[in-house]
Every structure is written in structure tokens, then in C-alpha cells.
Amino acid sequence: IVQTPAVLFATFLVYLQRNKATSLKESKVYELLLFAGCLLCAAMAVSFAEISIERHHAYIYGCFPYLHVVIHILEQIGIYNYGVGVAAL
């Protein structure tokens, strides 16, 4: 809950910067950062869904926490793309 406003705000700011980009390279970097922000926002949305549903619905085959795995996959791809995008700036 603490990181959600910051990630949403940063994603929105990247969206605005992408629209102001003056070169194709700059635009592509901001698109990558926007993609990263969207993935991180999606991870937080899935996390909210996970805590909102009953415990036994969050597992498949009785023991595999599929929503939790989806959260980590979204986070890892988002964080990787964020790092690449910041390095490209």
C-alpha cells in the first residue's frame, strides 16, 4: 500500500514525458519505462486480488499459489525493464 501511490504517479509522469519526447530514441526509452510501470502496477493489482479472495481460492491443485507466482513474475519483469530504462536515460 505504501509503494502504490509512488508507482502510479511515476508511471503517469513517464507517460507525460513520453508524449514530450523529441527524438525516437528518447521516446523508446520512455516507452520501456512506461511498460515497466504498467507491469509493476499490474503486480500490485494482482496482489490486491490475492489478499481480497479467500485463501483456498488463491491456490491451484490445492497447494500451488498461482497468483503469488504471477505477482513475482510481473515484478521481476517490471523491475528488470525499469533498470534497463533508467540506465538508458
Side-chain angles (χ1 to χ4, degrees), residues 15-85:
Y15 172 77
L16 294 177
Q17 284 298 114
R18 186 195 66 172
N19 292 338
K20 291 187 205 176
T22 56
S23 70
L24 182 61
K25 286 182 182 181
E26 187 181 11
S27 177
K28 291 294 182 187
V29 170
Y30 285 122
E31 283 180 22
L32 181 63
L33 288 169
L34 183 60
F35 176 66
C38 289
L39 286 174
L40 293 171
C41 289
M44 289 183 282
V46 175
S47 179
F48 179 76
E50 181 187 40
I51 63 169
S52 296
I53 63 175
E54 292 183 27
R55 190 84 168 155
H56 66 277
H57 291 298
Y59 292 92
I60 192 168
Y61 304 120
C63 64
F64 184 74
Y66 71 98
L67 286 178
H68 201 73
V69 171
V70 168
I71 293 165
H72 283 288
I73 290 170
L74 290 169
E75 285 175 338
Q76 290 301 310
I77 296 170
I79 291 168
Y80 174 81
N81 281 290
Y82 172 77
V84 171

